[in-house]
Amino acid sequence: MATGAQIIARALRDLGVTVIFGLVGIPVVDIAEEAINLGIRFIAFRNEQACSYAASVYGYMTGRPGVCLVVGGPGVLHAIAGIGNASGNNFPLLVLAGSSETTGVTKGAFQEMDAITLLTPHTKFAVRTNSLDSIPGAIRNAYRTCWYGRPGPTFVDFPADIIQGKAAADFKLPAPENVLLPSPPKPSGDPATVLKAAQLLRSARAPLIIVGKGAAYARAETAIRELVERTQVPFLPTPMGKGVVPDSHPLNASSARSAALKNADVVLLLGARLNWILHFGAPPKWSPTAKIIQVDISAEEIGRNAGNAELGLIGDIGLVVEQLSTKLSNWRYQPSPTDGTPFPSLLASSAKKNEAKAEKAALKPTPPNTPLTFQRAYHIIKDTLNSLSPPEDGQIVYVSEGANTMDISRSIFPLNHPRQRLDAGTYATMGVGLGYVIAAHAAYDVYPADKNAAVSPPKKIVAFEGDSAFGFSGMEIETMARYRIPALIFVMNNSGIYHGDSTSEDAWKSLQSQTISNDTKSEEDHKKGLRSTSLLYEARYEQLATMCGGKGHFVRTEKELENATRDGFLESNTVTVVNVVVEPGVGQKIQFAWQGGKDEGSNKQAKL
């Protein structure tokens, strides 16, 4: 006689679910245990936010929905963070939760909360099961809905009496072959609009292809690489679109991002949205006369902001790109000498200038008794990692979060393969990093239960965490140690959010004790106390790893960083945290680099 928990676990297994990310308690612990009994790997976290983040990005990396299991009430409230992240990034995510008994609703039952009313506006589908018979259908519909069309989060609520209830003796689950869902159907673009888009590209003076993370999710890399090679049109990847076309490709315009956007007259937008990351497609970042060809799976995205609905192509990115390639089979971009400075020359000039600035910052040695800069630290890490695993091998997955940490690292570490760089994404969510590390390990490592794993072989996960971002989910280091995840995590410690207060430990201690100096300005600053962006000076974050059997390194010098990077990369049995003390950056403007007015080369490097 099957219980509700057994029926739930069986329904998930029959849909092909091999990993569940979660945090258990009454009553969902029964679901987790039954799932484990069926061979599903359950990864138990320390906070529902982290496990919901992990499940959401697992869906992006594998191409199948990630599954998150939490308790009701406060568990659901914490998991809303991942639901919002999945919605903002269009990741397929199925969230399952337990709730109070049906008979206890409105009575003040244990962790009672109307999760359906709360989550309906923030999910594609939310349902509360009311019988054991309804479980398989509810899970199947939620799984299909989060995956098909424009991906996003869905939610199924299981009352405690349903989870713990027992089915009638004649109850039978559908046979597994009747419930397995095929991958979502792939629509092609409208042929007339494909022809119009191809003609527009042919007539362009300065064409540009923008590759978004939607293209990576769609597994469209082969078609896009062939299009770039055939047409010789420059391309610009978004942060998580990196690697769809190798960063090393000579047509990569990342080093000249601002120049590319400002001067392009026809833009083919593949799986990216005209949101804040792309400045809404509007001046002054873009040319006011630019024509934008949007290719997206979602009809609602076409024509948004500076987009033109008449040029939009709704369909699977891979198929649409193949259609365009056919129409452009005998065309190769060649700038006209009568149009002033050719577009490729303009991009090359801008890239050369920006890369020279970045190279100067990266190669400048660190003076004695002076903190490392972000650029110098990343240069040392990159050189060390490249010596251990060349970029063309594609054996490293990069995770990054934090303002300076993410913005500067984004373009320093080259990628030649897609879906191997994860960051705060469209929602700019801080705290995703450690959950993403665990999800990446699950996605790229082949466990016994994952007979149909989407990707292999196992890869090394390398994360760059701002000290502030690390604090959101630092206890997940214990999760990594528990599951023996050999991730290499760098905490870029500048003692603050965006920037710190001081490079001097004595100055920090003075500020803490309100000691008054002879300097009038310092005296006033001390009276005001710590700034809102301040964090503890040189906090020993690496000890979170050593306390649970992992490896920790506290780094102040270039040689210490090189040695710690090498040791951490070669560690194969447990997590390593490298705590890198970098300059606080006092006085720097507080903003994401995407929002700034300067060209990207002023503080980053793209293809070094």
Side-chain angles (χ1 to χ4, degrees):
M1 185 179 297
T3 65
Q6 291 172 330
I7 296 170
I8 294 166
R10 164 72 188 274
L12 292 170
R13 192 224 26 211
D14 291 348
L15 284 168
V17 174
T18 58
V19 180
I20 297 174
F21 304 89
L23 201 165
V24 299
I26 298 172
V28 300
V29 64
D30 293 342
I31 299 173
E33 290 301 314
E34 294 297 343
I36 292 170
N37 291 341
L38 291 177
I40 298 174
R41 182 172 173 83
F42 186 85
I43 301 179
F45 285 70
R46 301 299 297 263
N47 184 284
E48 289 92 356
Q49 289 185 15
C51 68
S52 63
Y53 292 146
S56 67
V57 86
Y58 182 85
Y60 163 75
M61 299 184 77
T62 63
R64 297 183 67 90
V67 179
C68 176
L69 176 66
V70 298
V71 299
V76 171
L77 288 175
H78 290 174
I80 286 179
I83 289 171
N85 191 62
S87 180
N89 287 289
N90 298 144
F91 293 158
L93 169 67
L94 170 58
V95 177
L96 309 176
S99 60
S100 52
E101 295 84 352
T102 307
T103 55
V105 173
T106 74
K107 295 182 179 179
F110 176 68
Q111 295 184 335
E112 180 183 349
M113 185 182 73
D114 183 359
I116 301 303
T117 299
L118 176 67
L119 294 179
T120 293
H122 306 289
T123 59
K124 294 180 67 179
F125 175 84
V127 65
R128 178 179 169 94
T129 56
N130 54 20
S131 69
L132 272 66
D133 291 348
S134 69
I135 289 174
I139 293 176
R140 177 184 173 88
N141 283 336
Y143 191 88
R144 177 184 57 81
T145 302
C146 79
W147 193 18
Y148 283 29
R150 185 177 191 167
T154 56
F155 176 74
V156 183
D157 187 26
F158 303 105
D161 49 320
I162 298 296
I163 294 172
Q164 297 163 352
K166 294 184 178 180
D170 59 349
F171 176 82
K172 291 184 179 180
L173 281 167
E177 59 268 21
N178 294 330
V179 295
L180 272 173
L181 281 172
S183 297
K186 295 183 177 183
S188 297
D190 173 57
T193 309
V194 170
L195 178 60
K196 182 188 297 185
Q199 291 172 337
L200 196 58
L201 285 166
R202 285 175 179 269
S203 65
R205 175 188 58 80
L208 179 69
I209 298 172
I210 295 181
V211 183
K213 69 174 178 288
Y217 176 78
R219 269 68 180 166
E221 52 266 24
T222 299
I224 294 174
R225 291 179 185 185
E226 290 177 356
L227 178 67
V228 169
E229 285 294 333
R230 177 175 297 174
T231 64
Q232 291 295 292
V233 172
F235 71 93
L236 178 67
T238 64
M240 286 177 60
K242 285 167 63 67
V244 171
V245 183
D247 281 347
S248 57
H249 197 287
L251 291 171
N252 183 2
S254 292
S255 294
R257 181 179 185 271
S258 294
L261 293 179
K262 193 172 185 64
N263 291 278
D265 63 343
V266 176
V267 178
L268 178 61
L269 193 65
L270 301 176
R273 287 171 283 174
L274 294 173
N275 55 22
W276 69 279
I277 291 180
L278 287 176
H279 315 289
F280 313 106
K285 291 291 187 179
W286 291 61
S287 167
T289 60
K291 294 180 173 61
I292 304 173
I293 304 165
Q294 293 173 276
V295 181
D296 204 284
I297 195 67
S298 171
E300 292 83 355
E301 203 60 43
I302 304 300
R304 188 179 183 191
N305 295 326
N308 183 342
E310 294 183 355
L311 298 177
L313 283 163
I314 304 166
D316 173 77
I317 293 169
L319 294 182
V320 172
V321 169
E322 289 176 359
Q323 291 177 286
L324 284 169
S325 290
T326 300
K327 298 299 181 183
L328 296 169
S329 60
N330 61 348
W331 175 76
R332 185 183 180 95
Y333 171 53
Q334 292 180 329
S336 171
T338 62
D339 292 333
T341 303
F343 189 46
S345 299
L346 188 152
L347 295 180
S349 175
S350 178
K352 183 178 180 181
K353 178 183 66 175
N354 293 330
E355 289 175 5
K357 290 180 181 179
E359 184 176 27
K360 182 178 179 180
L363 297 181
K364 182 180 179 181
T366 306
N369 302 316
T370 302
L372 294 158
T373 64
F374 278 95
Q375 290 86 349
R376 184 61 177 165
Y378 286 146
H379 176 75
I380 293 166
I381 294 169
K382 183 185 73 170
D383 278 0
T384 306
L385 292 179
N386 287 352
S387 71
L388 298 166
S389 178
E392 55 270 20
D393 291 351
Q395 289 305 302
I396 298 178
V397 178
Y398 291 101
V399 177
S400 63
E401 62 170 335
N404 298 321
T405 300
M406 179 176 66
D407 284 336
I408 300 173
S409 70
R410 177 182 67 243
S411 46
I412 287 179
F413 295 89
L415 288 181
N416 290 325
H417 303 275
R419 298 173 296 279
Q420 291 186 204
R421 185 184 186 279
L422 309 174
D423 67 19
T426 305
Y427 219 39
T429 312
M430 293 298 105
V432 297
L434 300 190
Y436 279 14
V437 167
I438 296 167
H441 183 261
Y444 283 101
D445 201 7
V446 182
Y447 296 109
D450 298 343
K451 301 187 186 303
N452 297 312
V455 283
S456 64
K459 300 182 186 297
K460 187 71 176 185
I461 316 301
V462 176
F464 300 106
E465 294 280 310
D467 50 353
S468 172
F470 182 77
F472 281 81
S473 53
M475 275 306 298
E476 301 307 334
I477 293 295
E478 187 274 333
T479 304
M480 296 180 206
R482 188 176 356 120
Y483 289 102
R484 297 188 178 278
I485 297 174
L488 172 55
I489 299 170
F490 295 92
V491 179
M492 308 307 291
N493 187 352
N494 68 347
S495 307
I497 303 170
Y498 299 102
H499 58 68
D501 273 328
S502 173
T503 60
S504 166
E505 183 176 10
D506 290 338
W508 184 86
K509 289 179 177 178
S510 172
L511 192 60
Q512 284 289 89
S513 64
Q514 298 296 291
T515 301
I516 305 301
S517 74
N518 294 325
D519 182 88
T520 304
K521 184 179 184 302
S522 297
E523 179 179 340
E524 291 302 315
D525 288 342
H526 291 171
K527 287 180 179 179
K528 293 174 184 176
L530 291 170
R531 307 308 302 175
S532 62
T533 59
S534 298
L535 295 174
L536 185 68
Y537 183 77
E538 291 194 358
R540 300 301 295 265
Y541 298 111
E542 79 284 356
Q543 293 182 8
L544 281 173
T546 57
M547 77 175 188
C548 51
K551 301 293 180 63
H553 299 268
F554 184 66
V555 166
R556 285 195 182 100
T557 69
E558 294 186 2
K559 191 61 179 178
E560 288 173 343
L561 179 57
E562 180 185 345
N563 292 339
T565 301
R566 185 175 301 276
D567 291 347
F569 185 86
L570 296 175
E571 173 60 54
S572 61
N573 197 46
T574 190
V575 61
T576 299
V577 174
V578 181
N579 185 3
V580 188
V581 176
V582 293
E583 63 177 2
V586 178
Q588 292 181 0
K589 189 173 182 180
I590 296 178
Q591 64 177 14
F592 282 105
W594 289 105
Q595 298 170 306
K598 294 182 179 180
D599 201 354
E600 65 282 355
S602 61
N603 66 346
K604 296 181 289 294
Q605 54 186 358
K607 293 190 289 184
L608 294 178

